[in-house]
Amino acid sequence: MALSDAGRGPPIRATRRVFVARIALLAAGLPGAFAQAQPLVPRTGPAVYAGPLFDSHLHYNDEAAERYPLADVLGRMQRSGVRAIVANSRPNDGTKALAAAREATRRAGVTVVPFVRLYRNRADYSGWHADPSIVEMVLRELAAGTEAGPYRGLGEFHLYDSANADGPTARRLMQLAEERGLVVLAHVDDAAIDRLFAHAPKARLIWAHTGIGGAAVERVRSLLTRHPTLLGELSYRPGLTEGEGRLSPAWRALMLEMPERFLVGSDTWVNSRWDDYEALMQQARRWLGDLPPPIARRIAWDNGAALFGLPPP
Ligand SMILES: [Zn+2]
């Protein structure tokens, strides 16, 4: 069924081409003032999603906090129409700073959903899954909470070898998430998704990048079908778009089939992603524009808002 949808192609795009006509150089040979090109119709483009965005994968790491003060990053979010963020930073100070900036975030119209990052430093990226001190740190952070309220999730964490999904700390944290209703943000491959759910079948898990290694769309579909609490975050997802940043037919078909299972994210893991923040959000708006507007809104905002019980923006 999904494949026949894909075969039909995106109907919205075809009807909204850019038709910006310009006066030719009518005045060739005449004084220069007449040679100015003028648009004859207002500029309109292909459909672009214009509603609120929930950025479900945002880091405000220590090197970013040095270069981009809070007012700066909030300005980038505000200009991008981002109305809520999952904040997870290395170390957790960046998330706490965002959570503590109650007045500034309110003025920017941005709701902060804090997650506990598992990493105190770069070394923790590869060893956390078997390190009991990470569990201690997570429990301490959860007990302390933030000025924006309790932490709502754990992560982002990475597993460079899917077998490490069975590490003692990985297992314990999945169980903790399930027990406490925390959402997990995991940058892992498709095999690790099954392993993580084996520890905690009812945990809610956001799959960062929905498989950055490019798991086949069919494989993504089968994992989403098997694990009803799995959601896919779509930054860096290979094959998501094609041509001039438009949604690929196979992904469009999957989103039409499972619109409640996807989220948008920026993944500001290095400072250059902050430089590009507004362009990244604009790219998301472009592919979201290839979906029927209610489905675009669902993926852009509603799914994230529902996951954390946020009111409409
Ligand atoms: Zn990330």
PDB file of all heavy atoms in Angstrom, residues 52-53 55 58-60 69-87 94 98 104-105 108-112 266 268 274 277-278 281 285:
ATOM      1  N   PRO A  52       4.485  25.648  13.924  1.00  0.00           N
ATOM      2  CA  PRO A  52       5.504  25.522  14.979  1.00  0.00           C
ATOM      3  C   PRO A  52       6.359  24.261  14.808  1.00  0.00           C
ATOM      4  O   PRO A  52       5.912  23.268  14.248  1.00  0.00           O
ATOM      5  CB  PRO A  52       4.657  25.411  16.259  1.00  0.00           C
ATOM      6  CG  PRO A  52       3.340  24.873  15.800  1.00  0.00           C
ATOM      7  CD  PRO A  52       3.121  25.409  14.419  1.00  0.00           C
ATOM      8  N   LEU A  53       7.588  24.355  15.323  1.00  0.00           N
ATOM      9  CA  LEU A  53       8.503  23.205  15.293  1.00  0.00           C
ATOM     10  C   LEU A  53       8.855  22.785  16.721  1.00  0.00           C
ATOM     11  O   LEU A  53       9.053  23.635  17.596  1.00  0.00           O
ATOM     12  CB  LEU A  53       9.801  23.558  14.566  1.00  0.00           C
ATOM     13  CG  LEU A  53       9.735  23.751  13.045  1.00  0.00           C
ATOM     14  CD1 LEU A  53      11.070  24.296  12.534  1.00  0.00           C
ATOM     15  CD2 LEU A  53       9.416  22.437  12.340  1.00  0.00           C
ATOM     16  N   ASP A  55      11.914  20.890  18.323  1.00  0.00           N
ATOM     17  CA  ASP A  55      13.255  20.379  18.031  1.00  0.00           C
ATOM     18  C   ASP A  55      13.575  19.292  19.059  1.00  0.00           C
ATOM     19  O   ASP A  55      13.904  19.580  20.214  1.00  0.00           O
ATOM     20  CB  ASP A  55      14.268  21.526  18.097  1.00  0.00           C
ATOM     21  CG  ASP A  55      15.685  21.070  17.740  1.00  0.00           C
ATOM     22  OD1 ASP A  55      15.923  19.857  17.679  1.00  0.00           O
ATOM     23  OD2 ASP A  55      16.546  21.947  17.545  1.00  0.00           O
ATOM     24  N   LEU A  58      18.452  18.463  20.536  1.00  0.00           N
ATOM     25  CA  LEU A  58      19.262  19.686  20.615  1.00  0.00           C
ATOM     26  C   LEU A  58      20.287  19.564  21.731  1.00  0.00           C
ATOM     27  O   LEU A  58      19.969  19.117  22.830  1.00  0.00           O
ATOM     28  CB  LEU A  58      18.337  20.890  20.855  1.00  0.00           C
ATOM     29  CG  LEU A  58      19.024  22.255  20.963  1.00  0.00           C
ATOM     30  CD1 LEU A  58      18.169  23.318  20.280  1.00  0.00           C
ATOM     31  CD2 LEU A  58      19.274  22.653  22.411  1.00  0.00           C
ATOM     32  N   HIS A  59      21.528  19.935  21.422  1.00  0.00           N
ATOM     33  CA  HIS A  59      22.590  19.992  22.429  1.00  0.00           C
ATOM     34  C   HIS A  59      23.040  21.435  22.597  1.00  0.00           C
ATOM     35  O   HIS A  59      23.157  22.167  21.616  1.00  0.00           O
ATOM     36  CB  HIS A  59      23.809  19.177  21.991  1.00  0.00           C
ATOM     37  CG  HIS A  59      23.492  17.783  21.547  1.00  0.00           C
ATOM     38  ND1 HIS A  59      23.101  16.798  22.409  1.00  0.00           N
ATOM     39  CD2 HIS A  59      23.497  17.210  20.321  1.00  0.00           C
ATOM     40  CE1 HIS A  59      22.896  15.673  21.737  1.00  0.00           C
ATOM     41  NE2 HIS A  59      23.118  15.898  20.464  1.00  0.00           N
ATOM     42  N   TYR A  60      23.300  21.795  23.847  1.00  0.00           N
ATOM     43  CA  TYR A  60      23.928  23.092  24.133  1.00  0.00           C
ATOM     44  C   TYR A  60      25.170  22.766  24.946  1.00  0.00           C
ATOM     45  O   TYR A  60      25.216  22.934  26.164  1.00  0.00           O
ATOM     46  CB  TYR A  60      22.924  23.980  24.878  1.00  0.00           C
ATOM     47  CG  TYR A  60      23.355  25.412  25.044  1.00  0.00           C
ATOM     48  CD1 TYR A  60      23.975  26.117  24.010  1.00  0.00           C
ATOM     49  CD2 TYR A  60      23.122  26.084  26.240  1.00  0.00           C
ATOM     50  CE1 TYR A  60      24.352  27.435  24.164  1.00  0.00           C
ATOM     51  CE2 TYR A  60      23.490  27.405  26.406  1.00  0.00           C
ATOM     52  CZ  TYR A  60      24.110  28.075  25.366  1.00  0.00           C
ATOM     53  OH  TYR A  60      24.479  29.391  25.527  1.00  0.00           O
ATOM     54  N   PRO A  69      25.938  32.804  23.470  1.00  0.00           N
ATOM     55  CA  PRO A  69      25.232  33.014  24.739  1.00  0.00           C
ATOM     56  C   PRO A  69      23.766  32.596  24.607  1.00  0.00           C
ATOM     57  O   PRO A  69      23.248  32.457  23.490  1.00  0.00           O
ATOM     58  CB  PRO A  69      25.349  34.516  24.966  1.00  0.00           C
ATOM     59  CG  PRO A  69      26.376  35.014  24.008  1.00  0.00           C
ATOM     60  CD  PRO A  69      26.452  34.043  22.885  1.00  0.00           C
ATOM     61  N   LEU A  70      23.130  32.447  25.738  1.00  0.00           N
ATOM     62  CA  LEU A  70      21.724  32.008  25.745  1.00  0.00           C
ATOM     63  C   LEU A  70      20.838  32.856  24.840  1.00  0.00           C
ATOM     64  O   LEU A  70      20.016  32.331  24.089  1.00  0.00           O
ATOM     65  CB  LEU A  70      21.182  32.086  27.175  1.00  0.00           C
ATOM     66  CG  LEU A  70      21.323  30.827  28.012  1.00  0.00           C
ATOM     67  CD1 LEU A  70      20.835  31.100  29.425  1.00  0.00           C
ATOM     68  CD2 LEU A  70      20.526  29.676  27.395  1.00  0.00           C
ATOM     69  N   ALA A  71      21.009  34.186  24.924  1.00  0.00           N
ATOM     70  CA  ALA A  71      20.156  35.063  24.120  1.00  0.00           C
ATOM     71  C   ALA A  71      20.341  34.767  22.635  1.00  0.00           C
ATOM     72  O   ALA A  71      19.388  34.824  21.847  1.00  0.00           O
ATOM     73  CB  ALA A  71      20.484  36.524  24.415  1.00  0.00           C
ATOM     74  N   ASP A  72      21.559  34.417  22.264  1.00  0.00           N
ATOM     75  CA  ASP A  72      21.854  34.112  20.865  1.00  0.00           C
ATOM     76  C   ASP A  72      21.146  32.827  20.415  1.00  0.00           C
ATOM     77  O   ASP A  72      20.459  32.808  19.393  1.00  0.00           O
ATOM     78  CB  ASP A  72      23.369  33.982  20.707  1.00  0.00           C
ATOM     79  CG  ASP A  72      23.778  33.670  19.281  1.00  0.00           C
ATOM     80  OD1 ASP A  72      23.470  32.562  18.800  1.00  0.00           O
ATOM     81  OD2 ASP A  72      24.386  34.533  18.645  1.00  0.00           O
ATOM     82  N   VAL A  73      21.282  31.748  21.190  1.00  0.00           N
ATOM     83  CA  VAL A  73      20.653  30.494  20.752  1.00  0.00           C
ATOM     84  C   VAL A  73      19.130  30.602  20.797  1.00  0.00           C
ATOM     85  O   VAL A  73      18.440  30.068  19.914  1.00  0.00           O
ATOM     86  CB  VAL A  73      21.151  29.261  21.545  1.00  0.00           C
ATOM     87  CG1 VAL A  73      22.621  29.008  21.250  1.00  0.00           C
ATOM     88  CG2 VAL A  73      20.918  29.367  23.033  1.00  0.00           C
ATOM     89  N   LEU A  74      18.613  31.319  21.792  1.00  0.00           N
ATOM     90  CA  LEU A  74      17.149  31.492  21.846  1.00  0.00           C
ATOM     91  C   LEU A  74      16.667  32.313  20.649  1.00  0.00           C
ATOM     92  O   LEU A  74      15.599  32.042  20.096  1.00  0.00           O
ATOM     93  CB  LEU A  74      16.731  32.144  23.164  1.00  0.00           C
ATOM     94  CG  LEU A  74      16.846  31.232  24.383  1.00  0.00           C
ATOM     95  CD1 LEU A  74      16.602  32.017  25.671  1.00  0.00           C
ATOM     96  CD2 LEU A  74      15.877  30.046  24.297  1.00  0.00           C
ATOM     97  N   GLY A  75      17.472  33.290  20.231  1.00  0.00           N
ATOM     98  CA  GLY A  75      17.129  34.071  19.038  1.00  0.00           C
ATOM     99  C   GLY A  75      17.076  33.193  17.799  1.00  0.00           C
ATOM    100  O   GLY A  75      16.183  33.324  16.959  1.00  0.00           O
ATOM    101  N   ARG A  76      18.038  32.283  17.683  1.00  0.00           N
ATOM    102  CA  ARG A  76      18.049  31.369  16.528  1.00  0.00           C
ATOM    103  C   ARG A  76      16.800  30.499  16.533  1.00  0.00           C
ATOM    104  O   ARG A  76      16.191  30.241  15.490  1.00  0.00           O
ATOM    105  CB  ARG A  76      19.300  30.487  16.545  1.00  0.00           C
ATOM    106  CG  ARG A  76      20.562  31.260  16.190  1.00  0.00           C
ATOM    107  CD  ARG A  76      21.836  30.462  16.463  1.00  0.00           C
ATOM    108  NE  ARG A  76      22.959  31.382  16.598  1.00  0.00           N
ATOM    109  CZ  ARG A  76      23.778  31.727  15.597  1.00  0.00           C
ATOM    110  NH1 ARG A  76      23.635  31.191  14.408  1.00  0.00           N
ATOM    111  NH2 ARG A  76      24.747  32.590  15.799  1.00  0.00           N
ATOM    112  N   MET A  77      16.423  30.014  17.715  1.00  0.00           N
ATOM    113  CA  MET A  77      15.202  29.185  17.802  1.00  0.00           C
ATOM    114  C   MET A  77      13.973  30.005  17.443  1.00  0.00           C
ATOM    115  O   MET A  77      13.118  29.568  16.662  1.00  0.00           O
ATOM    116  CB  MET A  77      15.043  28.626  19.217  1.00  0.00           C
ATOM    117  CG  MET A  77      16.117  27.630  19.619  1.00  0.00           C
ATOM    118  SD  MET A  77      15.939  27.237  21.389  1.00  0.00           S
ATOM    119  CE  MET A  77      17.631  26.849  21.808  1.00  0.00           C
ATOM    120  N   GLN A  78      13.899  31.202  18.009  1.00  0.00           N
ATOM    121  CA  GLN A  78      12.727  32.049  17.791  1.00  0.00           C
ATOM    122  C   GLN A  78      12.571  32.387  16.304  1.00  0.00           C
ATOM    123  O   GLN A  78      11.477  32.282  15.746  1.00  0.00           O
ATOM    124  CB  GLN A  78      12.875  33.327  18.612  1.00  0.00           C
ATOM    125  CG  GLN A  78      11.604  34.147  18.687  1.00  0.00           C
ATOM    126  CD  GLN A  78      11.718  35.283  19.697  1.00  0.00           C
ATOM    127  OE1 GLN A  78      12.827  35.700  20.061  1.00  0.00           O
ATOM    128  NE2 GLN A  78      10.595  35.786  20.133  1.00  0.00           N
ATOM    129  N   ARG A  79      13.667  32.762  15.660  1.00  0.00           N
ATOM    130  CA  ARG A  79      13.592  33.102  14.233  1.00  0.00           C
ATOM    131  C   ARG A  79      13.252  31.890  13.385  1.00  0.00           C
ATOM    132  O   ARG A  79      12.795  32.019  12.255  1.00  0.00           O
ATOM    133  CB  ARG A  79      14.922  33.714  13.768  1.00  0.00           C
ATOM    134  CG  ARG A  79      15.167  35.105  14.328  1.00  0.00           C
ATOM    135  CD  ARG A  79      16.344  35.787  13.651  1.00  0.00           C
ATOM    136  NE  ARG A  79      17.617  35.125  13.879  1.00  0.00           N
ATOM    137  CZ  ARG A  79      18.360  35.293  14.976  1.00  0.00           C
ATOM    138  NH1 ARG A  79      17.966  36.083  15.941  1.00  0.00           N
ATOM    139  NH2 ARG A  79      19.512  34.650  15.104  1.00  0.00           N
ATOM    140  N   SER A  80      13.479  30.686  13.927  1.00  0.00           N
ATOM    141  CA  SER A  80      13.179  29.454  13.188  1.00  0.00           C
ATOM    142  C   SER A  80      11.789  28.926  13.481  1.00  0.00           C
ATOM    143  O   SER A  80      11.406  27.886  12.942  1.00  0.00           O
ATOM    144  CB  SER A  80      14.209  28.373  13.552  1.00  0.00           C
ATOM    145  OG  SER A  80      15.517  28.841  13.336  1.00  0.00           O
ATOM    146  N   GLY A  81      11.048  29.594  14.339  1.00  0.00           N
ATOM    147  CA  GLY A  81       9.710  29.092  14.686  1.00  0.00           C
ATOM    148  C   GLY A  81       9.749  27.848  15.551  1.00  0.00           C
ATOM    149  O   GLY A  81       8.799  27.065  15.575  1.00  0.00           O
ATOM    150  N   VAL A  82      10.878  27.637  16.264  1.00  0.00           N
ATOM    151  CA  VAL A  82      10.991  26.491  17.178  1.00  0.00           C
ATOM    152  C   VAL A  82      10.361  26.884  18.503  1.00  0.00           C
ATOM    153  O   VAL A  82      10.781  27.842  19.139  1.00  0.00           O
ATOM    154  CB  VAL A  82      12.468  26.078  17.352  1.00  0.00           C
ATOM    155  CG1 VAL A  82      12.638  25.100  18.509  1.00  0.00           C
ATOM    156  CG2 VAL A  82      12.993  25.477  16.056  1.00  0.00           C
ATOM    157  N   ARG A  83       9.343  26.138  18.929  1.00  0.00           N
ATOM    158  CA  ARG A  83       8.582  26.508  20.122  1.00  0.00           C
ATOM    159  C   ARG A  83       8.834  25.576  21.312  1.00  0.00           C
ATOM    160  O   ARG A  83       8.308  25.799  22.391  1.00  0.00           O
ATOM    161  CB  ARG A  83       7.087  26.547  19.789  1.00  0.00           C
ATOM    162  CG  ARG A  83       6.735  27.487  18.618  1.00  0.00           C
ATOM    163  CD  ARG A  83       7.150  28.930  18.882  1.00  0.00           C
ATOM    164  NE  ARG A  83       6.618  29.427  20.133  1.00  0.00           N
ATOM    165  CZ  ARG A  83       5.402  29.935  20.300  1.00  0.00           C
ATOM    166  NH1 ARG A  83       4.593  30.038  19.255  1.00  0.00           N
ATOM    167  NH2 ARG A  83       4.995  30.361  21.470  1.00  0.00           N
ATOM    168  N   ALA A  84       9.593  24.502  21.086  1.00  0.00           N
ATOM    169  CA  ALA A  84       9.982  23.621  22.193  1.00  0.00           C
ATOM    170  C   ALA A  84      11.220  22.844  21.765  1.00  0.00           C
ATOM    171  O   ALA A  84      11.431  22.611  20.570  1.00  0.00           O
ATOM    172  CB  ALA A  84       8.860  22.657  22.559  1.00  0.00           C
ATOM    173  N   ILE A  85      12.029  22.491  22.771  1.00  0.00           N
ATOM    174  CA  ILE A  85      13.267  21.751  22.492  1.00  0.00           C
ATOM    175  C   ILE A  85      13.464  20.639  23.512  1.00  0.00           C
ATOM    176  O   ILE A  85      13.152  20.801  24.687  1.00  0.00           O
ATOM    177  CB  ILE A  85      14.507  22.677  22.548  1.00  0.00           C
ATOM    178  CG1 ILE A  85      14.578  23.417  23.898  1.00  0.00           C
ATOM    179  CG2 ILE A  85      14.484  23.685  21.399  1.00  0.00           C
ATOM    180  CD1 ILE A  85      15.901  24.122  24.165  1.00  0.00           C
ATOM    181  N   VAL A  86      13.991  19.506  23.043  1.00  0.00           N
ATOM    182  CA  VAL A  86      14.591  18.539  23.956  1.00  0.00           C
ATOM    183  C   VAL A  86      16.029  18.992  24.137  1.00  0.00           C
ATOM    184  O   VAL A  86      16.800  19.038  23.176  1.00  0.00           O
ATOM    185  CB  VAL A  86      14.539  17.108  23.380  1.00  0.00           C
ATOM    186  CG1 VAL A  86      15.549  16.209  24.093  1.00  0.00           C
ATOM    187  CG2 VAL A  86      13.139  16.526  23.517  1.00  0.00           C
ATOM    188  N   ALA A  87      16.385  19.381  25.370  1.00  0.00           N
ATOM    189  CA  ALA A  87      17.730  19.882  25.639  1.00  0.00           C
ATOM    190  C   ALA A  87      18.555  18.790  26.287  1.00  0.00           C
ATOM    191  O   ALA A  87      18.167  18.249  27.326  1.00  0.00           O
ATOM    192  CB  ALA A  87      17.651  21.101  26.562  1.00  0.00           C
ATOM    193  N   GLY A  94      24.698  22.955  30.277  1.00  0.00           N
ATOM    194  CA  GLY A  94      24.029  23.696  29.208  1.00  0.00           C
ATOM    195  C   GLY A  94      22.524  23.531  29.282  1.00  0.00           C
ATOM    196  O   GLY A  94      21.758  24.489  29.086  1.00  0.00           O
ATOM    197  N   LEU A  98      19.680  26.478  30.139  1.00  0.00           N
ATOM    198  CA  LEU A  98      18.454  26.711  29.353  1.00  0.00           C
ATOM    199  C   LEU A  98      17.224  26.607  30.260  1.00  0.00           C
ATOM    200  O   LEU A  98      16.295  27.409  30.172  1.00  0.00           O
ATOM    201  CB  LEU A  98      18.347  25.687  28.213  1.00  0.00           C
ATOM    202  CG  LEU A  98      19.216  25.955  26.987  1.00  0.00           C
ATOM    203  CD1 LEU A  98      19.345  24.702  26.126  1.00  0.00           C
ATOM    204  CD2 LEU A  98      18.630  27.097  26.139  1.00  0.00           C
ATOM    205  N   ALA A 104      13.754  34.408  29.908  1.00  0.00           N
ATOM    206  CA  ALA A 104      14.234  34.519  28.517  1.00  0.00           C
ATOM    207  C   ALA A 104      13.560  33.487  27.617  1.00  0.00           C
ATOM    208  O   ALA A 104      13.192  33.781  26.474  1.00  0.00           O
ATOM    209  CB  ALA A 104      15.749  34.350  28.481  1.00  0.00           C
ATOM    210  N   THR A 105      13.378  32.267  28.109  1.00  0.00           N
ATOM    211  CA  THR A 105      12.739  31.246  27.267  1.00  0.00           C
ATOM    212  C   THR A 105      11.254  31.555  27.091  1.00  0.00           C
ATOM    213  O   THR A 105      10.702  31.342  26.016  1.00  0.00           O
ATOM    214  CB  THR A 105      12.930  29.820  27.847  1.00  0.00           C
ATOM    215  OG1 THR A 105      12.538  29.810  29.227  1.00  0.00           O
ATOM    216  CG2 THR A 105      14.360  29.360  27.730  1.00  0.00           C
ATOM    217  N   ALA A 108      11.033  34.177  24.487  1.00  0.00           N
ATOM    218  CA  ALA A 108      11.317  33.606  23.159  1.00  0.00           C
ATOM    219  C   ALA A 108      10.242  32.620  22.729  1.00  0.00           C
ATOM    220  O   ALA A 108      10.239  32.167  21.579  1.00  0.00           O
ATOM    221  CB  ALA A 108      12.680  32.926  23.178  1.00  0.00           C
ATOM    222  N   GLY A 109       9.347  32.265  23.642  1.00  0.00           N
ATOM    223  CA  GLY A 109       8.285  31.314  23.308  1.00  0.00           C
ATOM    224  C   GLY A 109       8.779  29.889  23.145  1.00  0.00           C
ATOM    225  O   GLY A 109       8.219  29.116  22.374  1.00  0.00           O
ATOM    226  N   VAL A 110       9.848  29.550  23.870  1.00  0.00           N
ATOM    227  CA  VAL A 110      10.457  28.221  23.732  1.00  0.00           C
ATOM    228  C   VAL A 110      10.296  27.439  25.039  1.00  0.00           C
ATOM    229  O   VAL A 110      10.748  27.889  26.089  1.00  0.00           O
ATOM    230  CB  VAL A 110      11.959  28.329  23.386  1.00  0.00           C
ATOM    231  CG1 VAL A 110      12.611  26.951  23.354  1.00  0.00           C
ATOM    232  CG2 VAL A 110      12.162  29.056  22.065  1.00  0.00           C
ATOM    233  N   THR A 111       9.651  26.285  24.979  1.00  0.00           N
ATOM    234  CA  THR A 111       9.543  25.398  26.137  1.00  0.00           C
ATOM    235  C   THR A 111      10.752  24.458  26.159  1.00  0.00           C
ATOM    236  O   THR A 111      11.078  23.848  25.135  1.00  0.00           O
ATOM    237  CB  THR A 111       8.251  24.564  26.072  1.00  0.00           C
ATOM    238  OG1 THR A 111       7.138  25.457  26.065  1.00  0.00           O
ATOM    239  CG2 THR A 111       8.137  23.608  27.253  1.00  0.00           C
ATOM    240  N   VAL A 112      11.400  24.378  27.324  1.00  0.00           N
ATOM    241  CA  VAL A 112      12.589  23.520  27.458  1.00  0.00           C
ATOM    242  C   VAL A 112      12.180  22.187  28.089  1.00  0.00           C
ATOM    243  O   VAL A 112      11.614  22.160  29.180  1.00  0.00           O
ATOM    244  CB  VAL A 112      13.660  24.204  28.337  1.00  0.00           C
ATOM    245  CG1 VAL A 112      14.865  23.285  28.540  1.00  0.00           C
ATOM    246  CG2 VAL A 112      14.091  25.525  27.711  1.00  0.00           C
ATOM    247  N   SER A 266      17.465  19.071  15.279  1.00  0.00           N
ATOM    248  CA  SER A 266      18.577  19.812  14.664  1.00  0.00           C
ATOM    249  C   SER A 266      19.910  19.096  14.879  1.00  0.00           C
ATOM    250  O   SER A 266      20.791  19.162  14.051  1.00  0.00           O
ATOM    251  CB  SER A 266      18.669  21.211  15.269  1.00  0.00           C
ATOM    252  OG  SER A 266      18.928  21.134  16.672  1.00  0.00           O
ATOM    253  N   THR A 268      22.504  19.764  17.267  1.00  0.00           N
ATOM    254  CA  THR A 268      23.580  20.775  17.337  1.00  0.00           C
ATOM    255  C   THR A 268      24.766  20.201  18.120  1.00  0.00           C
ATOM    256  O   THR A 268      25.127  20.693  19.184  1.00  0.00           O
ATOM    257  CB  THR A 268      23.051  22.039  18.017  1.00  0.00           C
ATOM    258  OG1 THR A 268      22.329  21.660  19.193  1.00  0.00           O
ATOM    259  CG2 THR A 268      22.131  22.807  17.108  1.00  0.00           C
ATOM    260  N   TRP A 274      25.166  25.107  15.090  1.00  0.00           N
ATOM    261  CA  TRP A 274      24.522  26.330  15.588  1.00  0.00           C
ATOM    262  C   TRP A 274      24.595  27.434  14.544  1.00  0.00           C
ATOM    263  O   TRP A 274      23.645  28.187  14.351  1.00  0.00           O
ATOM    264  CB  TRP A 274      25.157  26.784  16.906  1.00  0.00           C
ATOM    265  CG  TRP A 274      24.609  26.059  18.093  1.00  0.00           C
ATOM    266  CD1 TRP A 274      25.285  25.202  18.923  1.00  0.00           C
ATOM    267  CD2 TRP A 274      23.265  26.116  18.587  1.00  0.00           C
ATOM    268  NE1 TRP A 274      24.432  24.724  19.890  1.00  0.00           N
ATOM    269  CE2 TRP A 274      23.191  25.267  19.712  1.00  0.00           C
ATOM    270  CE3 TRP A 274      22.107  26.793  18.174  1.00  0.00           C
ATOM    271  CZ2 TRP A 274      22.010  25.087  20.435  1.00  0.00           C
ATOM    272  CZ3 TRP A 274      20.931  26.614  18.890  1.00  0.00           C
ATOM    273  CH2 TRP A 274      20.899  25.765  20.008  1.00  0.00           C
ATOM    274  N   TYR A 277      21.844  26.752  12.221  1.00  0.00           N
ATOM    275  CA  TYR A 277      20.576  26.347  12.853  1.00  0.00           C
ATOM    276  C   TYR A 277      19.346  26.763  12.033  1.00  0.00           C
ATOM    277  O   TYR A 277      18.474  25.950  11.744  1.00  0.00           O
ATOM    278  CB  TYR A 277      20.477  26.933  14.272  1.00  0.00           C
ATOM    279  CG  TYR A 277      19.341  26.331  15.066  1.00  0.00           C
ATOM    280  CD1 TYR A 277      19.500  25.112  15.720  1.00  0.00           C
ATOM    281  CD2 TYR A 277      18.089  26.953  15.129  1.00  0.00           C
ATOM    282  CE1 TYR A 277      18.455  24.543  16.433  1.00  0.00           C
ATOM    283  CE2 TYR A 277      17.042  26.390  15.837  1.00  0.00           C
ATOM    284  CZ  TYR A 277      17.233  25.183  16.486  1.00  0.00           C
ATOM    285  OH  TYR A 277      16.198  24.609  17.187  1.00  0.00           O
ATOM    286  N   GLU A 278      19.324  28.040  11.638  1.00  0.00           N
ATOM    287  CA  GLU A 278      18.129  28.504  10.925  1.00  0.00           C
ATOM    288  C   GLU A 278      17.989  27.824   9.566  1.00  0.00           C
ATOM    289  O   GLU A 278      16.885  27.483   9.142  1.00  0.00           O
ATOM    290  CB  GLU A 278      18.174  30.026  10.794  1.00  0.00           C
ATOM    291  CG  GLU A 278      17.915  30.692  12.140  1.00  0.00           C
ATOM    292  CD  GLU A 278      18.449  32.111  12.215  1.00  0.00           C
ATOM    293  OE1 GLU A 278      17.766  33.004  11.688  1.00  0.00           O
ATOM    294  OE2 GLU A 278      19.531  32.316  12.779  1.00  0.00           O
ATOM    295  N   MET A 281      16.582  24.278  10.099  1.00  0.00           N
ATOM    296  CA  MET A 281      15.143  24.268  10.348  1.00  0.00           C
ATOM    297  C   MET A 281      14.376  24.592   9.058  1.00  0.00           C
ATOM    298  O   MET A 281      13.302  24.069   8.827  1.00  0.00           O
ATOM    299  CB  MET A 281      14.787  25.246  11.467  1.00  0.00           C
ATOM    300  CG  MET A 281      15.326  24.830  12.837  1.00  0.00           C
ATOM    301  SD  MET A 281      14.605  23.285  13.467  1.00  0.00           S
ATOM    302  CE  MET A 281      15.895  22.111  13.095  1.00  0.00           C
ATOM    303  N   ARG A 285      11.513  22.449   7.124  1.00  0.00           N
ATOM    304  CA  ARG A 285      10.240  23.020   6.659  1.00  0.00           C
ATOM    305  C   ARG A 285       9.986  22.692   5.191  1.00  0.00           C
ATOM    306  O   ARG A 285       8.848  22.512   4.771  1.00  0.00           O
ATOM    307  CB  ARG A 285      10.236  24.542   6.863  1.00  0.00           C
ATOM    308  CG  ARG A 285      10.159  24.945   8.323  1.00  0.00           C
ATOM    309  CD  ARG A 285      10.060  26.454   8.482  1.00  0.00           C
ATOM    310  NE  ARG A 285       9.988  26.825   9.887  1.00  0.00           N
ATOM    311  CZ  ARG A 285       8.893  26.723  10.641  1.00  0.00           C
ATOM    312  NH1 ARG A 285       7.763  26.282  10.105  1.00  0.00           N
ATOM    313  NH2 ARG A 285       8.914  27.049  11.915  1.00  0.00           N
TER     314      ARG A 285
END
